[in-house]
Amino acid sequence: MLQVNYIRENKDEVIARLSKKSFKQLDLVDKVIDLDNKRRATQAQLDNMLSQSNAMAKSIGELMRDGKKDEVEKIKQKTSLIKEDIKTLGEELSELEQHVHNSLVLLPNLAHSSVPAGVTPEENEVVLTHGDVPKLPEHALPHWELAAKYDIIDFELGVKISGAGFPVYKGKGAKLQRALINFFLDNAAKAGYDEVQPPIVINEASGFGTGQLPDKEGQMYFIGEDNLYLVPTAEVPVTNIYRDEIVKEDQLPIKNTAYTPCFRREAGSYGAHVRGLNRLHQFDKVEIVQIAHPEKSYEILEEMSEYVQTLLKKLELPYRVLRLCGGDMSFASALTYDMEVFSAAQGRWLEVSSVSNFETFQANRLKLRFKGNEGKAQLAHTLNGSALALPRIVASLLENNQTEKGIKIPEALVPYTGFEYID
């Protein structure tokens, strides 16, 4: 959530940076400022009334000591009227504060200055490309056919049990899933991330804190009777560990990693691009989260991007890094890098990670602050990234590594799988 004072003091800049994200409701900026002006005026009136009330209370005591009962009664009558005004102003102030809040939560985060202009994924900026695209045999198979051939993933069985988008992993397919999760968690530990195992359901306050609510409620699975949501990503519960917390400056950066299954309704998704593992309602992901000092967060974002790239290199997957254009960024992000791997049999790039800096946007919602030696509390910066999401990694591993002998497992993963080939 943006801060009102920043909006007031930097209105033109705010509008320009919101426009870069293709945000259309720019009139909300003026609305927030107008509402805040009314809130300030009401607060000033209330403060004045409270000051008068305090002064009268003090004068009543003095008059009582002097025995001036008639004057005391007159002041008490005025005090009674002022108390009514104070009550009315207090109610007006609360209502205005709620209106300001309700308008603020509709404003997305501001795009960082380095974010390229654009609306569609085609306008994202390719930062770098690594590795060679594998040359497959003429009759190479896409991953969904390989999954059936080697009996490692059963999409139809998932439909029977739950519905489309809920695959069943079998045999070496299940072991590959577990191997990748452990591989990612072990690498995160070596990189200094502390592992946590959070709940996979969240309450409304947690969804609000990281910006999923009220923006993405239609994409999350809702448990109505308990007013809870299934997690769309471990980012939400892990970041919310620090909701309403003041941490010490020397604790920064705080680094956490977590594995969770993730649940997304993916409403409106259809077509060939969502076939097989390309888009699921339930999938596994290892997430990395950092709480950072504002002066260090963009340096940390680059480090997180490089860390994700080391994982892709170890898995021997060709990849590219994109800096997302304003119109393709999430509601809460100030700057996002997407990592995509090349899926050889499909002949297309598949997103496997997004690494984002949210600056103070989430921290303001979370009331997450840090305090230095001088004792002043200020908002921290939050960052997170997929490290990594499994489905498209698995799709690319299967397609890119298919041989006559079977599907070759990358060398770094063999100690985790216990086998060199899926055959």
Side-chain angles (χ1 to χ4, degrees), residues 21 70 72 90 128 146 172 177 179 188 250 277 326 332 339 364 403 418:
K21 289 189 84 168
D70 291 344
V72 167
L128 66 88
L146 291 167
K172 287 187 175 181
Q177 287 282 110
D250 59 14
L277 296 172
M339 284 68 173
N364 194 27
T403 70

Side-chain angles (χ1 to χ4, degrees), residues 337-364:
Y337 290 117
D338 270 8
M339 284 68 173
E340 298 181 335
V341 297
F342 192 77
S343 184
Q346 296 180 75
R348 56 194 293 260
W349 293 95
L350 302 176
E351 178 201 333
V352 293
S353 176
S354 283
V355 182
S356 300
N357 188 351
F358 303 102
E359 297 186 354
T360 61
F361 190 82
Q362 290 182 335
N364 194 27

Side-chain angles (χ1 to χ4, degrees), residues 1 59 95 139 197 200 283 299 307 321:
M1 187 165 66
S59 67
E95 189 175 340
H139 301 293
Q197 190 176 62
I200 61 169
F283 61 94
E299 176 184 327
Y307 168 70
V321 180

Side-chain angles (χ1 to χ4, degrees), residues 8-21:
R8 293 179 63 90
E9 296 166 10
N10 304 276
K11 176 185 169 182
D12 292 342
E13 178 197 341
V14 167
I15 289 174
R17 291 170 69 184
L18 286 175
S19 297
K20 186 180 272 191
K21 289 189 84 168

Side-chain angles (χ1 to χ4, degrees), residues 293-403:
H293 193 289
E295 294 177 3
K296 299 285 187 179
S297 68
Y298 278 96
E299 176 184 327
I300 287 171
L301 179 66
E302 297 300 324
E303 291 173 0
M304 291 173 73
S305 171
E306 290 171 7
Y307 168 70
V308 172
Q309 292 176 56
T310 65
L311 298 177
L312 297 174
K313 288 174 183 176
K314 288 179 180 180
L315 293 176
E316 304 169 35
L317 290 170
Y319 69 87
R320 67 181 185 179
V321 180
L322 306 179
R323 183 185 285 112
L324 297 194
C325 68
D328 200 32
M329 288 170 60
S330 75
F331 183 83
S333 175
L335 176 60
T336 295
Y337 290 117
D338 270 8
M339 284 68 173
E340 298 181 335
V341 297
F342 192 77
S343 184
Q346 296 180 75
R348 56 194 293 260
W349 293 95
L350 302 176
E351 178 201 333
V352 293
S353 176
S354 283
V355 182
S356 300
N357 188 351
F358 303 102
E359 297 186 354
T360 61
F361 190 82
Q362 290 182 335
N364 194 27
R365 289 168 166 246
L366 294 159
K367 295 182 172 57
L368 164 56
R369 294 162 289 172
F370 70 94
K371 186 181 289 187
N373 295 328
E374 71 284 356
K376 182 181 179 182
Q378 58 179 304
L379 293 172
H381 279 195
T382 62
L383 305 93
N384 82 271
S386 314
L388 286 159
L390 270 66
R392 295 172 187 171
I393 289 289
V394 171
S396 296
L397 286 176
L398 296 181
E399 294 183 9
N400 295 8
N401 297 323
Q402 54 185 302
T403 70

